[in-house]
Amino acid sequence: MRRTSERNLPTGGSPEDSISRDRHRFAYESAAQRLTATDDVLDGGCGEGYGAPILLGAGRSYVGIDLSEAVVGEARSNFGSDRARFSAFDGARIPLDAAAFDAAVSFQVIEHVTDVSAYLTEIRRVLRPTGWVMFTTPNRLLRLGRGESPWNGFHLREYDPAFKVHPPLRAPADVAAVKAG
């Protein structure tokens, strides 16, 4: 599998990989602080799965999903257990039951998603009524000039801290607050 800063292993690699890992690790640690011992957590865009042990340090169970069957296979081999499962999905419908999770995380993923509204709707569907979600995404104000398109060829859009996007989405409904219930 070709490695890019968009996909990297939990150790080794370039300095850019190290920065990406640290950013992800910080996000996972922040999310873990919000979990309780009875929480079931979904990781949307789990990549190689190195967030699983961090989240399982605080929660009850973990399910990681990703578009790439090869990446899911690596994650399963490295981090799969009776409390950590990994599954490939088509990017449209999360192949899990409704109201199955207390929390969902999706780190450095939403900028890659073609249909953001559908993705948010699916996350909402799998969250329990009291569930919560945490996203991270690159801050376009620190990366792009006014009106400039994302320079990262993997990013369809980038967001600013007010969750405004560039390039703009088609309708305000495409960016919705995600609160279950």
Side-chain angles (χ1 to χ4, degrees):
M1 175 184 325
R2 187 173 79 94
R3 295 280 172 211
T4 71
S5 63
E6 298 299 308
R7 295 228 182 251
N8 56 65
L9 295 173
T11 60
S14 71
E16 185 178 43
D17 289 339
S18 178
I19 291 167
S20 179
R21 272 193 309 277
D22 289 347
R23 179 178 34 235
H24 280 88
R25 195 166 285 121
F26 176 80
Y28 282 117
E29 290 167 355
S30 296
Q33 291 174 10
R34 295 194 58 188
L35 294 173
T36 69
T38 60
D39 284 345
D40 301 311
V41 63
L42 172 70
D43 186 354
C46 66
E48 285 76 7
Y50 56 85
I54 297 169
L55 295 173
L56 283 174
R60 174 175 55 191
S61 72
Y62 169 98
V63 176
I65 59 173
D66 202 281
L67 295 175
S68 170
E69 187 70 57
V71 169
V72 166
E74 284 184 36
R76 194 178 292 124
S77 293
N78 293 323
F79 300 105
S81 71
D82 60 332
R83 295 176 52 216
R85 295 178 309 142
F86 296 89
S87 178
F89 87 118
D90 64 8
R93 176 121 173 116
I94 296 173
L96 302 163
D97 292 337
F101 297 95
D102 301 289
V105 299
S106 188
F107 300 142
Q108 307 296 93
V109 171
I110 201 164
E111 65 273 13
H112 301 269
V113 174
T114 303
D115 188 342
V116 174
S117 183
Y119 185 64
L120 296 176
T121 298
E122 275 298 284
I123 290 174
R124 173 184 262 171
R125 183 185 66 77
V126 300
L127 282 174
R128 294 186 176 117
T130 58
W132 57 270
V133 62
M134 182 182 289
F135 295 98
T136 64
T137 188
N139 181 346
R140 76 174 194 87
L141 297 180
L142 299 176
R143 298 164 48 89
L144 303 175
R146 186 176 181 86
E148 187 177 17
S149 293
W151 49 262
N152 182 320
F154 297 102
H155 295 183
L156 301 177
R157 71 194 61 79
E158 293 190 357
Y159 297 82
D160 72 17
F163 215 59
K164 295 176 185 168
V165 299
H166 183 83
L169 296 169
R170 292 172 303 221
D174 288 343
V175 177
V178 176
K179 184 176 187 299

